Amino acid sequence: MQSRTPASRTGRPRSAAADTAILAATREALVELGWSKLTLGDVATRAGVAKTTLYRRWAGKNELVVDAVAELFDELELPDRGSLAADIEGVVLQFAAILVRPEAKSGLMAVVAESTRDDALRERIRASIVERQMCLVLEGRARAQLRGELPPEPDPEESARTVDLIFDMVAGAVVHRTLVSGKAADAEWVRDFTRVLLLGLTGAAREA
Amino acid sequence: MQSRTPASRTGRPRSAAADTAILAATREALVELGWSKLTLGDVATRAGVAKTTLYRRWAGKNELVVDAVAELFDELELPDRGSLAADIEGVVLQFAAILVRPEAKSGLMAVVAESTRDDALRERIRASIVERQMCLVLEGRARAQLRGELPPEPDPEESARTVDLIFDMVAGAVVHRTLVSGKAADAEWVRDFTRVLLLGLTGAAREA
Amino acid sequence: MQSRTPASRTGRPRSAAADTAILAATREALVELGWSKLTLGDVATRAGVAKTTLYRRWAGKNELVVDAVAELFDELELPDRGSLAADIEGVVLQFAAILVRPEAKSGLMAVVAESTRDDALRERIRASIVERQMCLVLEGRARAQLRGELPPEPDPEESARTVDLIFDMVAGAVVHRTLVSGKAADAEWVRDFTRVLLLGLTGAAREA
Amino acid sequence: MQSRTPASRTGRPRSAAADTAILAATREALVELGWSKLTLGDVATRAGVAKTTLYRRWAGKNELVVDAVAELFDELELPDRGSLAADIEGVVLQFAAILVRPEAKSGLMAVVAESTRDDALRERIRASIVERQMCLVLEGRARAQLRGELPPEPDPEESARTVDLIFDMVAGAVVHRTLVSGKAADAEWVRDFTRVLLLGLTGAAREA
DNA sequence: ATCTAACCGAGACGGTACGTCAGGTCTTTCA
DNA sequence: TGAAAGACCTGACGTACCGTCTCGGTTAGAT
């Protein structure tokens, strides 16, 4: 997670319970205070932990919040709902359900904003949050190809471009709907969105 | 902009030059320092203005940055490029060109993040940034309907839903591509995106 | 008072009422806020006068408060009570009565403190507050000499020294009692004080 | 001194050197700037200490200056000079020597002025400055009674009144001479003052 | 069975920025 | 042209957090 495994074998081991408590406290503080008013001292107090313990494990607020928020996305799954459309609708609804939770709302955009000036942070976000979502896109496409709903991709390079495009379109639309427009990504919206997306994708695939 | 027009006739009037200098200084500081290290004291110094003058006009960092960033979007236009696809590609490229500028990158996501806990701020963003973009979507659709590329919408309520959807898809995809994925929304990507989007929209319109 | 009579005959004349209002407002603010929390802006507001008007007439807080407090000492008198002891007791009681008023308490010591680093201010205090008190000492001694209670002073230089001494002893004791010890200079204390002082003075005069 | 002895045994202990440095820096700043231009930020800088450290230990400027000035009076002693007159002259000269020092001059009157509106401050002054002086008066009287220069006091209540009176007369006269009249309390003045005071006291004692 | 290294809590440390406020000055409009 | 209104700059205020440090003490694994 955050530890770079300092390869120390001797000495007292770090308390595993502390990690859990700190991340939970971070989410709790995000809900109550939001990103900008969240302070590491407060998180430490909530977690019943000294501030030094916290700094020993995370470099700062950004890294801590990334880890705390990342755990929220662990619950994303892609159960087989029988069709590509149903699969997409299912995962988008799951994704939207996470985004409306205040601990995600407050923290996610903020760390993304910070990551525009901090490459290490961006990489951390990519690895612990974005990567997981990207896997779902790949998995969904593979499943659709098995079903015959999508043709097998001819060119691996173009394939990667398409996956990137789909990912940005899906994630971007849900995030924008939820956090910028401030409206719920409810079942109706998700249905409309999925229809447009799928028609576009199949149409583009037919053209090629 | 920020003034609530106190309608005072007497007394020394506010310096109009100060507003311009402050907003420019804010953008300059955003470029150099980014959102989180930007301080109002520093902005005041850069603008050659007292900190109190700044606080007299803006409630805080958030409001100031919204106004500073909003000015960047004033340059968004929708010249008639002859077809809906060309119009969309044009405006998306403009939008992406703004988003890669560091003053936008640093500030925009941050204020959006803050707005998740501050309704007044969200409304300010909507009025001064989002609204402008939404107008372009409406204008582009009207133009496409005149050209016969899109059918006139039958139901005004569904029409509004569609516009919202398009807007979230366009803005969301570009923002996600640029700020989350951290890749350029270049001509090739925009072409791919536009093709998928238009096929989806026309397909959905045909179904209905 | 504070004006250096710039001998300007033209223009709108200064409002005489303003001076009165400002000094009264200053005393009022001294009572409510004390020296350190008194602000010129607040005084101006209370007096119904613009801050600029105030600065046109006084150089700053110190000068203003000196004038405001000085007016309190205008009421000091030395009615003939028939004996030196009674005269002293009378004037000391008057002096103490002024010192317990909050507008004097708060302001007097503060401007004296400031005057330790500002000779112009010390001179202003001397001229408008101390001088008046010193006159009473001189007047009282003259009256006592007429009555035969004190011998005429032989040496003018020694005479001045004695007056200074008496003045410091009287004023100092009352001020210390009231403002440092924080106890009332009531009739009993004044009687005790006067007895010691007079016995000392007459004893010293007899020795010489 | 300023600490309320929170009796916390854990955590990093407070730096004892900081206290010394801060109080010395305060006196230095008093000499250079005087009370009104002294700022806590400047004191912190001079002491090589953070402003927060300063605020952690003292509630504000007043409390800090009281402690800084109080240390000046630690050097007051009452060596046995053989007679009451000599004892008084000695201590008064010591007292005057402290009062002419600019760090005392600037600070003492100012905190007394502030104390007229702040009972906690008055008590702090009493405990750390006035009390010490009062002890000298008591000690001097006891010594004089041993020598037979003063009669033993018959009534404890009247005794306390007399001590208070003497204290206000001595301290008040010296302070007034030095800070209000702005003249030196030199050997000659002290001799004159002591003669008058002693004649008054012995005369009053004889009467009783 | 005791080292001993790394952990833990508490909290003081030097700093930076905050948002407010007062001191003075300057620039309007009004009377 | 003075007075009122109020915006302006300067700079101190007291607070909150930052990230680091120094404590006294605890908890394992290694000797």
Side-chain angles (χ1 to χ4, degrees):
Chain A
M1 197 67 80
Q2 78 290 352
S3 61
R4 293 282 166 269
T5 59
S8 73
R9 195 121 307 267
T10 169
R12 174 175 175 177
R14 288 191 174 166
S15 157
D19 269 57
T20 309
I22 290 169
L23 291 176
T26 303
R27 283 188 292 270
E28 186 187 306
L30 276 175
V31 173
E32 287 181 29
L33 308 169
W35 158 266
S36 59
K37 307 211 168 177
L38 177 147
T39 71
L40 294 197
D42 182 57
V43 169
T45 304
R46 285 170 192 265
V49 141
K51 212 167 39 147
T52 38
T53 298
L54 216 149
Y55 278 105
R56 225 174 272 126
R57 303 181 186 204
W58 285 274
K61 189 166 154 174
N62 292 331
E63 289 75 11
L64 174 62
V65 171
V66 169
D67 283 4
V69 171
E71 286 191 344
L72 295 174
F73 290 92
D74 285 350
E75 62 191 48
L76 274 182
E77 288 175 7
L78 189 63
D80 191 332
R81 286 182 168 81
S83 73
L84 178 54
D87 282 2
I88 293 179
E89 288 189 20
V91 78
V92 164
L93 280 171
Q94 279 183 58
F95 190 46
I98 294 172
L99 285 183
V100 294
R101 291 168 63 176
E103 57 267 42
K105 233 175 171 158
S106 298
L108 189 58
M109 283 293 94
V111 293
V112 167
E114 291 298 302
S115 77
T116 59
R117 305 192 45 97
D118 180 345
D119 287 337
L121 186 61
R122 182 204 305 284
E123 172 54 24
R124 193 188 192 98
I125 292 173
R126 203 198 53 72
S128 58
I129 299 182
V130 175
E131 193 78 354
R132 193 182 322 268
Q133 300 166 21
M134 182 65 96
C135 285
L136 298 182
V137 175
L138 291 170
E139 191 182 341
R141 189 177 62 160
R143 195 182 289 166
Q145 288 172 333
L146 279 180
R147 290 196 200 100
E149 292 173 296
L150 287 179
E153 60 272 3
D155 176 12
E157 194 232 334
E158 193 193 321
S159 161
R161 256 175 46 209
T162 308
V163 170
D164 280 355
L165 175 63
I166 296 171
F167 178 52
D168 286 327
M169 286 184 74
V170 175
V174 179
V175 169
H176 199 274
R177 169 80 177 178
T178 309
L179 303 184
V180 180
S181 296
K183 297 175 183 169
D186 53 14
E188 183 183 37
W189 182 88
V190 171
R191 198 179 336 108
D192 289 350
F193 167 73
T194 305
R195 182 167 54 220
V196 171
L197 179 69
L198 272 187
L199 286 171
L201 290 176
T202 52
R206 200 177 313 123
E207 279 187 6
Chain B
M1 197 67 78
Q2 78 288 353
S3 59
R4 295 286 166 265
T5 57
S8 73
R9 193 122 306 267
T10 166
R12 178 173 173 173
R14 288 191 173 170
S15 158
D19 269 58
T20 308
I22 290 170
L23 291 176
T26 303
R27 283 187 293 268
E28 186 186 306
L30 275 175
V31 173
E32 289 180 27
L33 308 169
W35 159 266
S36 60
K37 309 212 165 176
L38 176 148
T39 68
L40 295 197
D42 182 57
V43 168
T45 303
R46 285 171 193 265
V49 142
K51 214 169 32 149
T52 39
T53 297
L54 216 149
Y55 278 105
R56 214 174 285 120
R57 303 182 184 205
W58 285 276
K61 191 165 152 173
N62 292 331
E63 287 76 10
L64 174 62
V65 171
V66 170
D67 284 3
V69 170
E71 286 191 344
L72 295 175
F73 291 92
D74 285 349
E75 60 190 51
L76 274 182
E77 290 177 5
L78 190 62
D80 191 332
R81 285 181 169 81
S83 73
L84 177 54
D87 282 1
I88 293 178
E89 288 190 20
V91 77
V92 165
L93 280 171
Q94 279 183 58
F95 190 45
I98 294 172
L99 284 182
V100 293
R101 290 168 65 176
E103 58 267 43
K105 235 175 169 157
S106 299
L108 187 59
M109 283 294 94
V111 293
V112 168
E114 292 298 303
S115 77
T116 59
R117 313 203 84 241
D118 180 345
D119 287 337
L121 185 62
R122 184 205 303 286
E123 172 54 23
R124 194 187 191 99
I125 293 173
R126 202 199 53 70
S128 57
I129 299 183
V130 174
E131 192 77 356
R132 193 183 322 271
Q133 301 166 20
M134 182 64 96
C135 286
L136 297 182
V137 175
L138 290 170
E139 191 182 340
R141 189 177 60 160
R143 196 181 287 166
Q145 289 171 334
L146 280 180
R147 289 196 202 102
E149 291 174 297
L150 288 178
E153 61 271 4
D155 177 11
E157 194 228 335
E158 192 192 319
S159 161
R161 257 176 46 211
T162 307
V163 170
D164 280 355
L165 175 63
I166 295 170
F167 179 51
D168 285 328
M169 286 184 74
V170 174
V174 178
V175 169
H176 199 272
R177 168 83 177 177
T178 309
L179 302 185
V180 180
S181 297
K183 296 174 184 168
D186 53 15
E188 185 181 35
W189 183 88
V190 172
R191 201 181 331 111
D192 289 351
F193 167 73
T194 305
R195 183 166 54 222
V196 171
L197 180 67
L198 273 187
L199 287 170
L201 290 178
T202 52
R206 201 177 310 121
E207 280 186 5
Chain C
M1 199 63 79
Q2 77 289 353
S3 59
R4 294 286 168 265
T5 58
S8 75
R9 198 126 303 268
T10 164
R12 177 169 169 178
R14 288 187 174 172
S15 156
D19 270 56
T20 310
I22 290 169
L23 292 175
T26 303
R27 282 188 294 269
E28 186 187 306
L30 276 175
V31 173
E32 288 180 28
L33 308 169
W35 158 265
S36 59
K37 308 209 167 179
L38 176 147
T39 69
L40 295 195
D42 183 56
V43 169
T45 304
R46 286 170 192 265
V49 144
K51 216 166 37 147
T52 39
T53 300
L54 218 149
Y55 277 105
R56 215 174 283 124
R57 305 184 185 200
W58 284 275
K61 191 165 153 173
N62 290 331
E63 288 75 9
L64 174 62
V65 171
V66 169
D67 284 3
V69 171
E71 287 191 344
L72 295 173
F73 290 93
D74 285 351
E75 62 191 49
L76 274 183
E77 288 177 5
L78 190 62
D80 192 331
R81 285 181 167 81
S83 73
L84 178 54
D87 282 1
I88 293 178
E89 288 190 21
V91 77
V92 164
L93 280 172
Q94 279 182 58
F95 191 45
I98 293 172
L99 285 183
V100 293
R101 290 166 65 175
E103 57 267 43
K105 235 177 175 157
S106 299
L108 189 57
M109 284 293 94
V111 292
V112 168
E114 290 299 303
S115 77
T116 60
R117 313 202 89 242
D118 181 345
D119 288 336
L121 186 61
R122 183 205 302 287
E123 172 54 23
R124 193 186 192 99
I125 293 173
R126 202 198 54 69
S128 58
I129 299 182
V130 175
E131 192 76 356
R132 191 181 326 267
Q133 299 167 21
M134 181 65 96
C135 285
L136 297 182
V137 175
L138 290 170
E139 189 182 342
R141 188 175 63 159
R143 196 182 287 166
Q145 286 172 337
L146 279 181
R147 288 197 201 98
E149 292 174 295
L150 287 177
E153 61 271 4
D155 178 10
E157 193 230 336
E158 191 192 321
S159 160
R161 257 174 46 209
T162 308
V163 170
D164 280 355
L165 175 62
I166 296 171
F167 178 52
D168 285 329
M169 288 184 73
V170 174
V174 178
V175 168
H176 200 273
R177 170 80 178 178
T178 309
L179 303 185
V180 180
S181 297
K183 296 173 184 170
D186 54 13
E188 185 182 33
W189 183 86
V190 172
R191 201 181 332 109
D192 289 350
F193 168 72
T194 306
R195 181 165 57 220
V196 172
L197 180 68
L198 272 187
L199 286 170
L201 289 177
T202 52
R206 201 177 312 121
E207 280 186 4
Chain D
M1 199 63 81
Q2 78 289 352
S3 60
R4 294 286 167 267
T5 58
S8 78
R9 196 120 308 266
T10 152
R12 176 172 173 175
R14 288 194 172 171
S15 158
D19 270 57
T20 310
I22 290 169
L23 292 176
T26 304
R27 284 188 292 268
E28 186 187 306
L30 276 175
V31 173
E32 288 180 27
L33 308 170
W35 158 266
S36 59
K37 308 208 167 179
L38 177 147
T39 70
L40 294 196
D42 183 57
V43 169
T45 304
R46 285 170 192 266
V49 143
K51 209 169 43 145
T52 40
T53 298
L54 218 147
Y55 279 107
R56 225 174 272 125
R57 303 183 183 205
W58 286 274
K61 190 165 153 174
N62 292 332
E63 288 76 8
L64 174 62
V65 171
V66 169
D67 284 4
V69 171
E71 287 192 343
L72 295 174
F73 291 93
D74 285 349
E75 62 191 50
L76 274 182
E77 289 176 5
L78 190 61
D80 192 331
R81 286 182 168 80
S83 74
L84 179 54
D87 281 1
I88 293 179
E89 288 190 19
V91 78
V92 164
L93 280 171
Q94 279 183 59
F95 191 46
I98 293 172
L99 285 183
V100 294
R101 290 168 65 177
E103 58 267 43
K105 232 177 175 157
S106 298
L108 189 58
M109 282 295 94
V111 291
V112 168
E114 291 298 304
S115 78
T116 59
R117 305 192 46 97
D118 180 345
D119 288 335
L121 186 62
R122 183 205 303 286
E123 171 55 23
R124 193 185 193 100
I125 293 174
R126 202 199 53 68
S128 58
I129 299 183
V130 175
E131 192 78 354
R132 192 182 322 271
Q133 300 165 20
M134 181 66 95
C135 286
L136 297 182
V137 175
L138 290 170
E139 191 182 341
R141 189 176 62 160
R143 196 181 288 167
Q145 288 172 335
L146 280 180
R147 289 196 201 101
E149 292 174 293
L150 287 179
E153 60 269 8
D155 177 10
E157 194 231 335
E158 191 192 321
S159 160
R161 255 176 46 210
T162 308
V163 169
D164 280 355
L165 176 62
I166 295 170
F167 178 52
D168 285 330
M169 287 183 73
V170 174
V174 178
V175 168
H176 200 272
R177 170 79 176 179
T178 309
L179 302 185
V180 180
S181 297
K183 298 175 184 168
D186 54 14
E188 184 183 36
W189 183 87
V190 171
R191 199 180 334 109
D192 289 351
F193 168 73
T194 306
R195 183 166 54 221
V196 171
L197 179 69
L198 273 187
L199 286 170
L201 289 177
T202 53
R206 200 178 310 122
E207 279 187 5

